[in-house]
């Protein structure tokens, strides 16, 4: 009898563990929720890129998409949440594109050619999306709610530029001669200036950016 009591006592004292199926179901719900947010963010990107932060509301986005205002409010707490999700998603895709070029290049000339082509294409084809990013970054100077997301996106872009320059330097048996921060500030400044000129109707803006980067990169990497 004592032996049975001890066994029973151990069963009572052993903490219960959540069942694996329950954990899988919960993960599945989270994944589906995140996927739905991305789907909605992609649908909202065009409206956001067209109107910018100040002139866009969840209601405005709902009116220009197939989704209702209530659906947007269910998946995003407010406009800030939606815009940050949109820009973060878009910039993560940009980083992936450049990383593909960087990893595939087998020579400095090949990397330079792919990088310059991608720079030109992204300004020409996705100017509105980049404008939204710079709008968000400017707003973060006034809106504290943006700052963590902006800092995270900015860091991913800085890392991307550094990977390009480091790979370019390595293909020539060299190392970059400037810091990560200085390198990113330099390229970001050139890119933003080109974007402004392009949006202002300057047809030489993209070619000038490509020429400038083509001369600059070999001197610092």
């Amino acid at each position: 009898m004592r032996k049975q009591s001890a066994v029973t006592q151990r069963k009572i004292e052993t903490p219960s563990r959540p069942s694996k199926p329950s954990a899988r179901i919960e993960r599945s719900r989270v994944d589906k929720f995140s996927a739905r947010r991305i789907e909605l963010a992609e649908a909202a990107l065009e409206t956001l890129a067209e109107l910018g932060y100040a002139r866009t509301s969840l209601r405005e986005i709902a009116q220009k998409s197939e989704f209702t205002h209530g659906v947007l409010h269910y998946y995003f707490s407010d406009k800030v949440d939606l815009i940050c999700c949109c820009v973060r998603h878009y910039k993560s895709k940009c980083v992936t594109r450049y990383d593909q070029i960087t990893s595939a290049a087998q020579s400095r000339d090949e990397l330079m050619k792919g990088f310059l082509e991608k720079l030109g294409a992204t300004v020409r084809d996705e100017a509105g999306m980049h404008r939204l990013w710079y709008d968000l970054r400017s707003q973060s100077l006034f809106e504290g709610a943006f700052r963590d997301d902006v800092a995270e996106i900015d860091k991913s872009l800085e890392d991307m530029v550094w990977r390009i320059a480091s790979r370019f330097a390595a293909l020539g048996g060299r190392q970059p001669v400037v810091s990560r921060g200085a390198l990113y500030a330099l390229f970001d400044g050139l890119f933003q200036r080109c974007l402004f000129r392009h949006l202002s109707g300057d047809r030489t803006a993209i070619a000038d950016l490509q020429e400038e980067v083509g001369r600059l990169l070999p001197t610092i990497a």
Side-chain angles (χ1 to χ4, degrees):
M1 292 295 294
R2 284 197 300 271
K3 187 175 182 180
Q4 287 182 335
S5 298
V7 171
T8 302
Q9 183 68 22
R10 282 199 298 273
K11 287 183 178 180
I12 294 174
E13 291 177 352
T14 301
S16 60
R17 297 179 180 177
S19 63
K20 290 184 178 180
S22 297
R24 285 198 298 269
I25 291 171
E26 183 60 29
R27 284 197 300 272
S28 177
R29 287 174 180 169
V30 171
D31 291 343
K32 288 180 179 178
F33 188 84
S34 298
R36 185 61 167 163
R37 276 172 57 91
I38 294 300
E39 180 185 356
L40 292 171
E42 288 185 332
L45 269 172
E46 186 175 346
T47 299
L48 287 167
E50 176 189 351
L51 299 178
Y53 168 77
R55 294 190 294 159
T56 305
S57 65
L58 289 183
R59 191 171 300 280
E60 182 79 23
I61 293 169
Q63 290 173 352
K64 290 180 176 290
S65 72
E66 61 184 86
F67 304 107
T68 66
H69 184 239
V71 168
L72 291 176
H73 251 307
Y74 177 77
Y75 286 96
F76 301 98
S77 57
D78 53 25
K79 182 175 74 170
V80 172
D81 186 20
L82 173 58
I83 292 177
C84 287
C85 181
C86 286
V87 176
R88 190 164 54 242
H89 174 61
Y90 172 70
K91 287 299 184 182
S92 68
K93 293 198 297 185
C94 288
V95 169
T96 301
R97 294 173 196 163
Y98 284 105
D99 282 347
Q100 290 172 347
I101 294 170
T102 303
S103 60
Q106 298 300 312
S107 69
R108 285 165 69 90
D109 288 344
E110 186 180 350
L111 178 53
M112 178 70 82
K113 182 175 182 293
F115 180 40
L116 295 182
E117 286 178 353
K118 182 58 65 178
L119 272 180
T122 195
V123 175
R124 182 174 57 253
D125 301 335
E126 300 172 332
M129 304 303 178
H130 295 296
R131 177 174 61 183
L132 178 61
W133 158 241
Y134 285 113
D135 187 12
L136 178 63
R137 194 165 72 175
S138 295
Q139 289 294 331
S140 71
L141 297 173
F142 303 95
E143 295 275 359
F146 282 132
R147 286 175 192 155
D148 287 345
D149 287 284
V150 166
E152 180 183 337
I153 296 169
D154 229 17
K155 181 63 167 60
S156 71
L157 296 174
E158 179 182 310
D159 291 343
M160 177 196 74
V161 172
W162 183 254
R163 286 193 295 272
I164 293 169
S166 296
R167 176 63 175 162
F168 186 79
L171 287 169
R174 303 175 56 188
Q175 292 184 344
V177 297
V178 296
S179 67
R180 285 172 177 258
L183 182 68
Y184 176 54
L186 181 60
F187 275 88
D188 181 64
L190 290 172
F191 187 87
Q192 186 175 14
R193 181 172 179 270
C194 170
L195 180 65
F196 178 81
R197 290 175 57 194
H198 177 71
L199 290 171
S200 300
D202 188 339
R203 295 183 179 181
T204 66
I206 293 175
D208 288 348
L209 172 66
Q210 292 171 320
E211 182 180 352
E212 191 70 46
V213 172
R215 287 199 308 265
L216 179 67
L217 189 56
T219 67
I220 58 180

